[in-house]
């Protein structure tokens, strides 16, 4: 039986950057994943947006660190991961949404987020051609950005190998036991491993991992669909997030939607269904593209002639309040969760990886402790994150 300082379950958006951080800090770490290579779960289905403009300290500060890692990666390590600082924007077409966005800025500004309210005229300068009817203005955060999920996770993976991390692919976790020496024993379909710490970063399967040690975590995946167009010359800047649920009978089963143009000129887009599709089924539906295309063209007519290359369907492992669950469990302090990322694991992952490393080494800072309060497993889950 092989012994490790830490075993990470899941080689995805959180597991791989966590392995990179741990190995860099001389922790003997093993990552176990049931799939064939890193990022083959939900990471490869992410659309690539990375923002710090959230509604609480936990997500804001974690993503601020993630943005530092993404934005300096090429300069420090030499790999092009497709990073562009294109920003995020939330246009408001109702007085209610304008008020919500302005009120949220009062929370965001004290964290030194670069975010401002733009008038319709100012917003049209960065998104020329956006529908002006009833436009009240928009928030704009220019330091948010995007990067390629495929390029990024592979860059993190190879860097983690360079630091000494080990991986076992095509291995399914069958059992987790607390052994007599207080270490956790992981049994897979191919072997057994022991570690002083186990990090549950299993995404869609996080709840099942907990059930192996008689813990039940409130994480339920639901499905969202995305699509990507052919590449074209850049014609707008930021990610555009339309908060409005549709009132049109043809698209009434859709809530918010969002899209941006990546570093290669492709427009990537996603839509939140009003009636969530719970579970892990991943076949694309025939409903998504007609719904989202109609809404996108109404909002931004310049999109009308773009050709869509493909659509796909992935999951958001959701918690009841839209905040992640990160930290030790009371019953088994050696078992650490990084689960329920609610579709934001890609943007939170690098920052969380460093926090998880400090949990494992007992080197948490006061800022870490403050962040983890927002992600505490033992909260009442009664709140709801704004604009999750």
């Amino acid at each position: 039986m092989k012994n490790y300082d830490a075993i990470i379950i899941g080689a995805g958006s959180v597991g791989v950057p966590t392995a990179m951080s741990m190995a860099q800090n001389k922790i003997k770490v093993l990552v176990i994943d049931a799939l064939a290579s890193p990022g083959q779960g939900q990471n490869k289905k992410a659309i690539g947006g990375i923002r710090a403009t959230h509604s609480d300290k936990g997500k804001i500060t974690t993503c601020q660190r993630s943005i530092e890692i993404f934005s300096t990666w090429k300069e420090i390590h030499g790999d092009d991961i497709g990073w562009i600082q294109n920003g995020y924007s939330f246009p408001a077409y109702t007085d209610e949404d304008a008020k919500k966005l302005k009120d949220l800025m009062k929370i965001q500004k004290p964290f030194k987020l670069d975010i401002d309210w733009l008038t319709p005229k100012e917003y049209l300068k960065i998104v020329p051609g956006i529908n002006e009817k009833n436009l009240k203005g928009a928030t704009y955060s220019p330091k948010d950005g995007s990067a390629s999920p495929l390029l990024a996770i592979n860059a993190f993976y190879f860097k983690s190998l360079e630091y000494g991390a080990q991986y076992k692919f095509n291995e399914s976790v069958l059992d987790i036991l607390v052994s007599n020496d207080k270490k956790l024993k992981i049994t897979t379909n191919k072997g057994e491993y022991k570690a002083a710490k186990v990090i549950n970063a299993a995404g869609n399967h996080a709840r099942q991992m907990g059930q192996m040690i008689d813990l039940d975590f409130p994480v339920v995946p639901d499905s969202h669909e995305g699509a990507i167009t052919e590449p074209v010359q850049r014609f707008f800047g930021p990610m555009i997030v339309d908060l409005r649920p549709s009132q049109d009978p043809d698209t009434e089963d859709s809530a918010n939607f969002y899209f941006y143009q990546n570093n290669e000129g492709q427009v990537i887009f996603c839509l939140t269904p009003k009636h969530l599709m719970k579970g892990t089924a991943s076949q694309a539906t025939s409903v998504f593209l007609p719904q989202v295309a109609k809404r996108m063209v109404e909002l931004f007519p310049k999109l009308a002639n773009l050709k869509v290359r493909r659509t796909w369907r992935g999951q958001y492992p959701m918690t009841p309040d839209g905040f992640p669950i990160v930290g030790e469990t009371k019953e088994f302090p050696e078992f650490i969760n990084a689960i329920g990322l609610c579709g934001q694991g890609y943007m939170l992952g690098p920052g969380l990886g460093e926090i998880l490393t400090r949990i494992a080494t007992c080197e948490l800072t006061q800022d870490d402790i403050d962040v983890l309060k927002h992600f505490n497993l033992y909260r009442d889950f009664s709140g709801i994150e704004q604009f999750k």
Side-chain angles (χ1 to χ4, degrees):
M1 185 181 299
K2 294 185 178 180
N3 285 272
Y4 295 86
D5 298 325
I7 292 175
I8 300 169
I9 304 172
S13 298
V14 176
V16 171
T18 300
M20 178 179 69
S21 176
M22 286 188 167
Q24 187 177 16
N25 284 274
K26 309 304 179 185
I27 296 170
K28 185 180 179 183
V29 59
L30 171 70
V31 186
I32 301 173
D33 198 287
L35 300 174
S37 60
Q40 293 305 303
Q42 304 316 303
N43 179 87
K44 69 179 182 181
K45 301 172 185 178
I47 70 168
I50 305 156
R51 64 181 168 99
T53 45
H54 296 281
S55 63
D56 76 296
K57 180 177 181 176
K59 283 190 176 182
I60 289 171
T61 58
T62 304
C63 282
Q64 283 174 324
R65 177 57 186 144
S66 288
I67 286 174
E68 289 178 13
I69 294 168
F70 279 111
S71 64
T72 60
W73 188 269
K74 185 176 181 180
E75 177 186 348
I76 295 173
H77 301 291
D79 307 307
D80 183 358
I81 59 172
W83 167 260
I84 54 172
Q85 205 148 39
N86 53 312
Y88 262 70
S89 68
F90 289 74
Y93 285 89
T94 67
D95 291 332
E96 181 183 8
D97 281 347
K99 183 179 185 304
K100 284 181 182 178
L101 290 164
K102 289 177 180 178
D103 287 346
L104 181 57
M105 285 174 58
K106 296 174 185 176
I107 298 171
Q108 295 166 330
K109 284 281 193 180
F111 291 102
K112 298 181 180 179
L113 289 174
D114 183 2
I115 183 167
D116 287 298
W117 180 258
L118 302 184
T119 66
K121 186 176 180 180
E122 290 170 330
Y123 189 54
L124 282 163
K125 288 181 180 178
I126 61 171
V127 190
I130 194 95
N131 192 335
E132 298 179 57
K133 185 178 179 181
N134 297 321
L135 179 63
K136 311 295 181 184
T139 56
Y140 176 49
S141 47
K143 291 185 179 177
D144 292 332
S146 59
S148 164
L150 300 178
L151 293 175
I153 200 164
N154 278 286
F156 299 158
Y157 168 67
F158 285 113
K159 185 57 64 175
S160 74
L161 292 177
E162 185 180 314
Y163 292 146
Q166 298 178 43
Y167 288 79
K168 296 288 184 181
F169 293 111
N170 292 314
E171 289 203 32
S172 300
V173 174
L174 303 179
D175 198 15
I176 304 172
L177 290 172
V178 181
S179 58
N180 293 333
D181 57 2
K182 297 288 182 73
K183 289 188 175 182
L184 289 165
K185 184 174 81 171
I186 305 290
T187 302
T188 75
N189 59 325
K190 294 185 179 180
E192 293 184 339
Y193 313 90
K194 271 189 179 181
K197 304 283 184 182
V198 168
I199 291 84
N200 178 12
N204 282 351
H205 309 290
R207 192 169 201 167
Q208 292 94 308
M209 297 302 110
Q211 288 169 344
M212 291 180 186
I213 51 173
D214 297 321
L215 298 177
D216 192 27
F217 305 130
V219 177
V220 178
D222 63 55
S223 291
H224 296 250
E225 293 186 78
I228 189 167
T229 72
E230 63 184 354
V232 295
Q233 184 175 343
R234 182 161 301 281
F235 63 100
F236 70 102
M239 174 84 76
I240 298 171
V241 183
D242 189 342
L243 296 170
R244 297 171 294 173
S246 177
Q247 305 299 322
D248 186 328
D250 293 335
T251 59
E252 64 182 358
D253 191 36
S254 59
N256 60 70
F257 67 98
Y258 37 99
F259 57 94
Y260 78 102
Q261 193 172 16
N262 70 9
N263 66 309
E264 297 180 349
Q266 297 166 292
V267 175
I268 307 176
F269 51 98
C270 189
L271 175 144
T272 302
K274 274 186 188 175
H275 299 94
L276 297 174
M277 300 181 285
K278 294 189 177 181
T280 58
S282 294
Q283 283 188 317
T285 71
S286 60
V287 175
F288 163 71
L289 192 55
Q291 275 189 340
V292 72
K294 183 174 182 180
R295 293 196 65 184
M296 287 172 66
V297 171
E298 287 173 353
L299 179 69
F300 198 17
K302 285 185 177 183
L303 298 167
N305 295 318
L306 288 181
K307 295 177 182 176
V308 177
R309 280 190 167 174
R310 64 183 177 92
T311 66
W312 65 90
R313 179 178 171 189
Q315 282 75 49
Y316 289 6
M318 295 299 299
T319 62
D321 60 2
F323 290 99
I325 295 170
V326 181
E328 297 172 340
T329 55
K330 291 178 181 177
E331 297 84 351
F332 305 104
E334 302 84 6
F335 189 87
I336 300 164
N337 282 309
I339 61 177
L341 278 295
C342 304
Q344 296 171 342
Y346 175 63
M347 65 178 74
L348 287 161
L352 274 184
E354 295 184 347
I355 294 174
L356 291 163
T357 299
R358 292 191 288 272
I359 292 175
T361 58
C362 302
E363 295 176 330
L364 288 173
T365 66
Q366 187 57 52
D367 275 346
D368 292 335
I369 292 168
D370 292 342
V371 164
L372 290 170
K373 288 177 184 176
H374 294 264
F375 302 157
N376 186 1
L377 168 62
Y378 304 98
R379 64 186 185 266
D380 63 12
F381 293 95
S382 62
I384 294 291
E385 190 204 356
Q386 297 185 62
F387 311 132
K388 65 183 179 185

